[in-house]
Amino acid sequence: MQPFFSAWGRKLSLGLIALLLLLFSWSWWGVGAKLDPYTETVLGLSGEVSHGASLFALNCAACHGEEADGRVGPSLRGVSRRRSERFIIQQVTSGNTPPMPQFQPDPQEMADLISYLKTL
Ligand code: HEC
């Protein structure tokens, strides 16, 4: 009987450890979503409007229009009054809303884009 019980005891404690690890990684994930380092870096930078404008012309104007007044994609006029910077960063980098592709601008480029969008 002794080995039987201790085997179960081991399984139980391994199970508990696995459960704790799972809970821990969940909560870690939650923190990670709020403090995503890319987003935090972008928010900490000051963008350059003119560079943002050329990035926009190159990457975004085909869908959102040369004047950002909408074509395939919606008009982005006044978008920064409707949407938070976090939302815009997520929108540009996630690829969650096809046909808008997933972009991977480096943090400075993302900050430049945002500062351009703020002028619309
Ligand atoms: C292939 C076409 C396409 C390209 C290229 C594109 N977009 Fe979009 N974009 C869309 C579409 C379509 C939507 C609407 C997505 C949805 O919500 O379903 C959208 C939505 C958005 C929104 C959200 C607007 C709102 O009011 O919610 C933002 C901000 C945005 N795009 C910014 C950009 C930026 C910045 C770029 C360039 C880096 C870009 N897009 C390139 C098609 C495109």
Side-chain angles (χ1 to χ4, degrees), residues 30-88:
V31 172
K34 263 180 248 142
L35 294 175
D36 153 47
Y38 175 83
T39 303
E40 297 311 308
T41 308
V42 172
L43 295 177
L45 291 168
S46 62
E48 198 203 308
V49 175
S50 63
H51 189 228
S54 58
L55 287 172
F56 185 87
L58 213 62
N59 298 286
C60 323
C63 288
H64 289 284
E66 299 290 337
E67 307 291 325
D69 47 358
R71 201 182 281 173
V72 180
S75 167
L76 296 181
R77 293 294 177 100
V79 67
S80 64
R81 287 187 290 278
R82 293 197 304 275
R83 303 293 200 183
S84 69
E85 295 190 9
R86 284 172 200 276
F87 177 94
I88 294 173

Side-chain angles (χ1 to χ4, degrees), residues 100-117:
M100 181 160 155
Q102 177 176 32
F103 292 94
Q104 293 176 313
D106 66 38
Q108 185 61 57
E109 291 173 327
M110 189 69 239
D112 295 346
L113 264 174
I114 290 177
S115 55
Y116 172 68
L117 293 178

